[in-house]
Amino acid sequence: MDLKSKIREIENFPKEGISFKDITTLLKDRNAFSYAVNKIVDDLKDKEIDYVVGPEARGFLMGAAVAYALGVGFIPVRKPGKLPSKTTRLDYELEYGTDSLEIHSDAISQGDKIAIVDDLLATGGTVRAVAELIESLGGEIAAMEFLIELEDLNGRDKLDGYHINSLVNY
């Protein structure tokens, strides 16, 4: 299936010069959504995954579906102040500033095998921060899975040594 044809591109959103990749059109197409989830699951099925971790917010959509299909738990990574229990926080650098992410401090145990699932790999900064949070809790990153990869932004360069799978490349 041509997943790229199921993704709507919106020019100049959220600002001039950006070509936004809107996955809502793929998500509402039951065949395309199922196909995308199954392709990610196929890549993960032999990796003995304990948990899928998905960063806010579109990582929740893809990650929870993949976790369900694998029969494993899902762990959200959120912006600060959104998780109700004790959290571990990581502040990280972006191209033009900083950002922060949090995970529940008891979400991952030493040696847990984790798949990070998100909708988009762009510059790699956010997923790198998610990986650092997981590893700080003792988790092992078994794979990083993305629906879309924007190759020109060289996100893979920040993720050397990790298994990366992307379904659609721009």
Side-chain angles (χ1 to χ4, degrees):
M1 176 179 292
D2 178 16
L3 291 176
K4 190 180 270 190
S5 71
K6 306 295 183 180
I7 298 167
R8 176 172 40 198
E9 292 187 63
I10 301 173
E11 298 303 322
N12 301 313
F13 181 83
K15 62 182 183 178
E16 190 72 29
I18 302 292
S19 176
F20 186 80
K21 309 308 184 244
D22 178 16
I23 67 167
T24 62
T25 48
L26 182 144
L27 295 173
K28 80 174 192 174
D29 181 320
R30 69 177 175 209
N31 294 322
F33 186 36
S34 178
Y35 179 83
V37 169
N38 288 334
K39 290 296 281 183
I40 292 172
V41 168
D42 284 347
D43 190 58
L44 294 174
K45 65 184 174 189
D46 296 328
K47 293 184 174 54
E48 300 176 11
I49 303 300
D50 294 306
Y51 300 104
V52 170
V53 170
E56 189 171 329
R58 290 181 300 267
F60 295 178
L61 301 171
M62 293 302 298
V66 169
Y68 176 79
L70 282 172
V72 302
F74 175 78
I75 299 169
V77 171
R78 303 219 48 198
K79 299 288 184 187
K82 301 291 186 180
L83 293 170
S85 191
K86 183 180 178 206
T87 60
T88 299
R89 178 182 175 137
L90 179 72
D91 299 319
Y92 63 101
E93 296 292 322
L94 296 170
E95 288 71 21
Y96 302 106
T98 61
D99 209 346
S100 302
L101 292 171
E102 293 181 342
I103 190 170
H104 276 136
S105 298
D106 61 356
I108 295 170
S109 298
Q110 190 70 35
D112 285 343
K113 288 190 176 179
I114 308 297
I116 300 171
V117 177
D118 203 357
D119 71 316
L120 180 72
L121 172 58
T123 63
T126 299
V127 73
R128 179 73 205 172
V130 172
E132 288 178 24
L133 271 174
I134 292 165
E135 291 167 343
S136 77
L137 296 174
E140 299 174 13
I141 310 299
M144 295 176 171
E145 303 280 337
F146 303 95
L147 179 59
I148 299 168
E149 181 174 351
L150 304 178
E151 292 176 325
D152 289 346
L153 297 179
N154 301 312
R156 284 179 182 256
D157 293 351
K158 291 184 180 159
L159 307 172
D160 193 37
Y162 293 108
H163 171 84
I164 300 168
N165 180 43
S166 300
L167 302 184
V168 177
N169 294 297
Y170 286 92

